[in-house]
Amino acid sequence: MPSASTPHPADSHDLIRVDGARENNLKDVHVVLPKRRLTVFTGVSGSGKSSLVFGTIAAESQRMINETYSSFVQGFMPTLSRPDVDLLDGLTTAIIVDQERLGANIRSTVGTVTDANAMLRILFSRLGDPQIGSPQAYSFNVASVSGAGAVTVQKGTETTREKKTFSIVGGMCARCEGTGKVSEFELSALFDEELSLNEGALTVPGYSMEGWYGRIFRGCGWFDPDKPLKKYTKKEMADLLHKPATKIKVEGINLTYLGLIPQIQKSFLSKDREAMQPHIRAFVDRAIRFDTCPDCGGTRLSEGARSSKVAGISIADACAMQISDLAEWVRGLDEPTVAPLLTGLRETLDSFVGIGLGYLSLDRASGSLSGGEAQRVKMIRHLGSSLTDVTYVFDEPTVGLHPHDIERMNELLLQLRDKGNTVLVVEHKPETIAIADHVVDLGPGAGAAGGEICFEGTVAGLRASDTVTGRHLDDRAQLKEKVRPASGVMEIRNATTHNLRDVSVDVPQGVLVVVTGVAGSGKSSLIHGSLANRDDVVVVDQGAIKGSRRSNPATYTGLLEPIRKAFAKANGVKPALFSANSEGACATCKGAGVIYTDLAIMAGVAVVCEECGGKRFTASVLEYRFGGKDISEVLAMPVAQAAEFFADGESKIPAAHKILLRPVDVGLGYLSLGQPLTTLSGGERQRLKLATQMGEKGDVYVLDEPTTGLHLADVENLLGLLDRLVDSGKSVVVIEHHQAVMAHADWIIDLGPGAGHDGGTVVFEGTPADLVATKETLTGQHLATYLG
């Protein structure tokens, strides 16, 4: 037994060791991290931070926890493969708080995501007056149903039939089915009545007569597919548009026929607008008008649920309140019979306020939250947790935060650490790097040029080191000597979306406009609500691009199209041969380049295809050349090299060259054209999206926090890109908190003064120099401090 002077052996495990990490672009990384401290990982976008923190440390911790469950339970869990690393030692349970947007289900709200609604429903079912039923009676996701019938009951050897009735009282508004909105269809956008079905009368995306819908419309026998729609009888038109689900048999196959409108409601309108593909969203905006449900007034709840009150407030009123006000109301309830429930509800609501989200309301759709808001909503679950000695892993927790809010976020991270937890943070903002106990800097470059540890140690050591992050840590953008004059204005009049208070403002054209203000002050409501839906406006929002293993920068940017055509023309064959997702695909791996073996509860195995050697194309396709290279060699090129390759000479393709200049502009010249999108970091995806949408035709560009995921060194490139856009005659409006972008603006519109109902007004309009000179707003004060 150890004596009092010698330390206990259990106290010797104070380090997390990583030896030989090779996940993605990591080059045999060795690193030692102190436990119960705050470690910040820095480095340019794509340097390997996420591969080390999420792909290696957090992934292995989660995999090992999953293995403690029975194999039956593991069958229902995501299968995780062991990261490519020699040794991981000293791991603790990892809790990941990432930037993935919350599910954009039309029925999902801030209240349902955080369990605050569940607690409120129990509260109302116990204390509500009049009493209307169980917690389900207050849920807008539970419909009221009732039924009666005979049931067969076996008692001993006898079988008897008994009459049974049942009923469930739900809180769902019957008219809008708990969505708060009713849809009115613009029929002229669904079909062209001059044409017949066979002539392509239906203009709904995906409803062609060549596919299954064609078989169903022809085989149901209710319509003449060659008769123009304007000659349909009332019954035929009703069947086409509204017929409920009906079983039919077509060519010997059992199918279900569903009218056009219920089919659109089922397939398109079950998703939140934000989650739709762009062409579906454009169709929905054109064809459907959403109005607030007249029966429930947009509260989603039935009349019974709205009539039951606690202290004069219904559950609909409670969910519509700003959370900071709701917390005060709950604090005023003194009901000993439900004391534990009230304590839990108070703690949850106070967490919202503490994390700076007190301006939201529980009935706010979760799909409408920004990336930073979604991430902080996820944090709420962990703040009150009594767990200690766990590893919290954060992915840029300051995204979407004003410098004023970053101070609060820093306090929360330190609070988690001081409870005895290990906190690992991937971050670019110098304000958060400054509070670290330990810093790990990856680089020196991105992609293949990164994946090495450039520095490990204290913040002071990083500042003195000659690394990219060290050199840029104290960078301060300067105000411009002179600002550009506006060429005109875009008027916004009487905007009232969310918390805006009848805002009227002129947004200058032909210049770089930055819209700023604390989180929740109404920036997105103003710009997305009043500018984004106008003609000639291109919006680049924060939504991450989704992509499978088969999509890559070449397919995503539309670059593959001109390349395939050029290959086809040069070799006298058809373009489809030069797509790994079409006729040119290797038959063995179906164009994936790897062969997957699914091992059920074990992680699947991916082996490079032996037939094509991972090139994804058949051998015959690789014999065709263009500019001396085959298609797989072209897809293996980095973007910058490909831009030169297609610029001139026999391999000149002007259309491809033009597309490639944009990713180079945003600093993605190192990505290879065929690299799967699944291997790109968050910052790389953000910039790829930016580069692609920059090519869209429009006079006004609206960018929502384009610095997300960008290193201090990359922000300069972004400012250069914005300047080039403005100099080419475009108007650029940026919603942004980054001080370097504010300092670079020609015109600033600052919203505030606070968040929620303390915000929603324009507190400053003018040049950055005037904003700094007056120092009247929070933004002005922080920008002045930043500029020193």
Side-chain angles (χ1 to χ4, degrees):
M1 174 153 176
S3 68
S5 58
T6 58
H8 193 287
D11 296 332
S12 61
H13 301 278
D14 278 341
L15 298 170
I16 294 175
R17 269 175 223 288
V18 181
D19 282 340
R22 292 175 294 275
E23 202 60 28
N24 291 334
N25 67 336
L26 296 178
K27 295 175 184 160
D28 209 28
V29 163
H30 298 264
V31 68
V32 176
L33 308 173
K35 281 191 192 171
R36 295 181 282 283
R37 296 291 181 271
L38 175 66
T39 302
V40 173
F41 294 80
T42 64
V44 296
S45 173
S47 59
K49 303 181 297 296
S50 297
S51 301
L52 177 59
V53 181
F54 293 93
T56 306
I57 299 171
E60 179 64 358
S61 169
Q62 293 218 307
R63 186 185 74 85
M64 295 177 91
I65 289 166
N66 286 4
E67 285 193 351
T68 62
Y69 295 103
S70 70
S71 52
F72 173 74
V73 174
Q74 285 182 55
F76 297 98
M77 299 169 96
T79 49
L80 303 165
S81 56
R82 188 177 188 284
D84 189 359
V85 60
D86 295 335
L87 173 76
L88 279 168
D89 189 41
L91 291 182
T92 68
T93 306
I95 293 176
I96 298 176
V97 187
D98 59 17
Q99 279 182 33
E100 283 293 311
R101 300 290 284 268
L102 288 166
N105 187 309
I106 197 164
R107 299 183 182 285
S108 172
T109 65
V110 170
T112 60
V113 167
T114 55
D115 297 339
N117 260 36
M119 291 193 244
L120 270 179
R121 291 199 298 267
I122 299 169
L123 179 74
F124 274 84
S125 69
R126 301 292 184 274
L127 304 179
D129 180 39
Q131 198 73 32
I132 60 163
S134 71
Q136 289 183 326
Y138 297 91
S139 167
F140 53 75
N141 286 331
V142 179
S144 293
V145 287
S146 58
V151 292
T152 305
V153 182
Q154 187 87 28
K155 289 182 180 170
T157 54
E158 288 183 13
T159 304
T160 57
R161 285 170 74 76
E162 294 177 7
K163 192 164 188 279
K164 293 268 184 188
T165 59
F166 81 96
S167 68
I168 295 171
V169 178
M172 180 188 284
C173 166
R175 172 129 181 215
C176 63
E177 296 183 1
T179 60
K181 290 189 166 68
V182 287
S183 42
E184 296 285 329
F185 284 79
E186 183 61 57
L187 296 182
S188 61
L190 304 185
F191 55 77
D192 180 347
E193 63 172 16
E194 298 297 322
L195 305 177
S196 68
L197 288 175
N198 275 344
E199 289 169 334
L202 300 183
T203 52
V204 183
Y207 283 63
S208 71
M209 292 301 282
E210 283 73 59
W212 278 106
Y213 288 110
R215 285 189 178 189
I216 289 171
F217 287 127
R218 286 195 192 102
C220 66
W222 299 318
F223 323 108
D224 174 357
D226 291 314
K227 180 161 124 183
L229 266 58
K230 64 179 180 186
K231 294 187 177 169
Y232 275 29
T233 62
K234 270 190 180 169
K235 167 116 178 47
E236 285 175 326
M237 195 45 107
D239 283 348
L240 177 69
L241 293 178
H242 303 287
K243 196 171 183 74
T246 310
K247 294 266 187 280
I248 57 172
K249 204 165 194 143
V250 179
E251 301 163 27
I253 301 167
N254 291 324
L255 296 170
T256 302
Y257 176 90
L258 187 59
L260 207 50
I261 285 176
Q263 183 73 49
I264 291 170
Q265 285 171 326
K266 183 179 162 188
S267 55
F268 295 168
L269 303 191
S270 60
K271 275 194 185 144
D272 192 74
R273 185 182 172 280
E274 307 298 317
M276 295 173 185
Q277 292 167 289
H279 70 287
I280 302 278
R281 189 185 307 168
F283 163 74
V284 167
D285 290 346
R286 197 170 60 240
I288 302 158
R289 196 177 80 244
F290 294 101
D291 294 320
T292 303
C293 171
D295 286 11
C296 67
T299 61
R300 305 164 175 244
L301 290 157
S302 65
E303 194 181 341
R306 299 196 309 275
S307 68
S308 177
K309 299 192 174 180
V310 172
I313 295 276
S314 72
I315 191 166
D317 301 333
C319 290
M321 280 171 148
Q322 186 165 308
I323 290 172
S324 54
D325 296 343
L326 180 61
E328 286 302 315
W329 178 74
V330 172
R331 206 168 276 113
L333 294 176
D334 182 23
E335 295 286 348
T337 54
V338 289
L341 178 70
L342 286 173
T343 309
L345 184 55
R346 271 186 218 118
E347 282 173 1
T348 299
L349 297 174
D350 287 344
S351 296
F352 272 101
V353 179
I355 209 166
L357 292 177
Y359 60 85
L360 294 176
S361 60
L362 294 181
D363 61 4
R364 171 92 176 258
S366 62
S368 71
L369 298 180
S370 69
E373 285 171 333
Q375 187 172 17
R376 285 186 289 158
V377 163
K378 290 184 206 166
M379 277 181 78
I380 284 168
R381 297 197 158 182
H382 308 303
L383 289 180
S385 165
S386 47
L387 288 172
T388 61
D389 253 335
V390 295
T391 302
Y392 283 96
V393 187
F394 290 97
D395 187 7
E396 287 191 57
T398 59
V399 166
L401 293 189
H402 188 271
H404 169 70
D405 300 308
I406 290 178
E407 293 169 12
R408 292 164 85 169
M409 177 57 79
N410 284 349
E411 284 166 26
L412 288 166
L413 295 173
L414 293 172
Q415 229 174 302
L416 282 172
R417 176 201 68 184
D418 294 345
K419 276 171 65 176
N421 298 306
T422 308
V423 182
L424 308 181
V425 183
V426 173
E427 189 51 89
H428 294 291
K429 295 265 170 75
E431 297 96 322
T432 301
I433 297 172
I435 64 164
D437 301 308
H438 188 74
V439 181
V440 177
D441 187 40
L442 282 104
E452 297 171 34
I453 302 282
C454 298
F455 172 82
E456 257 188 284
T458 62
V459 179
L462 175 68
R463 207 171 248 119
S465 71
D466 189 33
T467 62
V468 177
T469 309
R471 289 196 297 273
H472 286 276
L473 201 56
D474 293 317
D475 274 9
R476 293 293 179 263
Q478 294 307 309
L479 293 173
K480 290 203 282 203
E481 294 286 313
K482 61 181 210 289
V483 295
R484 305 177 182 95
S487 59
V489 293
M490 293 172 280
E491 292 183 357
I492 294 176
R493 293 292 175 263
N494 311 107
T496 53
T497 314
H498 293 313
N499 66 333
L500 294 178
R501 293 192 249 170
D502 206 24
V503 171
S504 295
V505 65
D506 291 334
V507 181
Q509 285 177 297
V511 296
L512 176 58
V513 180
V514 171
V515 181
T516 186
V518 296
S521 57
K523 305 179 297 297
S524 301
S525 305
L526 179 69
I527 300 303
H528 290 299
S530 303
L531 266 194
N533 46 15
R534 299 185 185 184
D535 293 340
D536 270 352
V537 174
V538 176
V539 181
V540 185
D541 62 12
Q542 287 183 342
I545 59 179
K546 298 276 189 284
S548 68
R549 257 205 73 86
R550 289 181 171 277
S551 42
N552 51 46
T555 58
Y556 183 78
T557 57
L559 172 72
L560 201 55
E561 200 60 30
I563 293 178
R564 285 201 312 239
K565 285 178 178 164
F567 263 92
K569 192 174 174 189
N571 293 285
V573 290
K574 55 182 174 178
L577 287 174
F578 301 98
S579 166
N581 296 329
S582 187
E583 292 181 31
C586 161
T588 310
C589 64
K590 310 277 190 295
V594 290
I595 291 172
Y596 285 104
T597 310
D598 181 16
L599 300 176
I601 64 162
M602 315 290 285
V605 181
V607 184
V608 174
C609 171
E610 289 178 7
E611 183 70 28
C612 66
K615 290 184 174 177
R616 303 172 59 195
F617 293 90
T618 59
S620 58
V621 170
L622 296 179
E623 286 169 13
Y624 298 118
R625 297 192 164 260
F626 175 79
K629 292 189 182 293
D630 67 41
I631 184 73
S632 73
E633 288 169 335
V634 167
L635 290 177
M637 280 185 189
V639 167
Q641 187 190 333
E644 289 172 20
F645 178 74
F646 293 122
D648 46 33
E650 58 179 297
S651 60
K652 183 175 177 180
I653 309 177
H657 177 66
K658 189 178 167 193
I659 292 173
L660 283 164
L661 289 178
R662 293 196 296 271
V664 172
D665 266 351
V666 294
L668 291 179
Y670 60 88
L671 287 185
S672 67
L673 300 183
Q675 185 175 341
L677 288 189
T678 48
T679 63
L680 301 191
S681 72
E684 287 170 332
R685 289 181 185 210
Q686 181 81 359
R687 284 187 287 163
L688 185 62
K689 179 177 183 174
L690 190 64
T692 306
Q693 292 186 300
M694 287 297 169
E696 290 184 24
K697 297 281 179 281
D699 294 328
V700 182
Y701 286 91
V702 171
L703 305 162
D704 196 349
E705 295 190 34
T707 60
T708 301
L710 290 196
H711 186 266
L712 300 159
D714 297 321
V715 174
E716 291 172 24
N717 295 342
L718 177 74
L719 293 176
L721 173 71
L722 298 179
D723 278 343
R724 284 196 293 279
L725 271 175
V726 176
D727 294 339
S728 70
K730 309 285 186 195
S731 303
V732 179
V733 180
V734 184
I735 300 171
E736 189 53 87
H737 297 289
H738 202 296
Q739 292 103 323
V741 182
M742 292 182 207
H744 200 74
D746 297 308
W747 191 260
I748 284 189
I749 297 172
D750 191 18
L751 280 99
H757 56 43
D758 298 328
T761 57
V762 173
V763 290
F764 175 84
E765 295 176 72
T767 63
D770 293 342
L771 178 66
V772 173
T774 56
K775 286 192 198 169
E776 280 172 11
T777 69
L778 278 170
T779 307
Q781 291 157 19
H782 281 278
L783 187 56
T785 313
Y786 170 83
L787 294 164

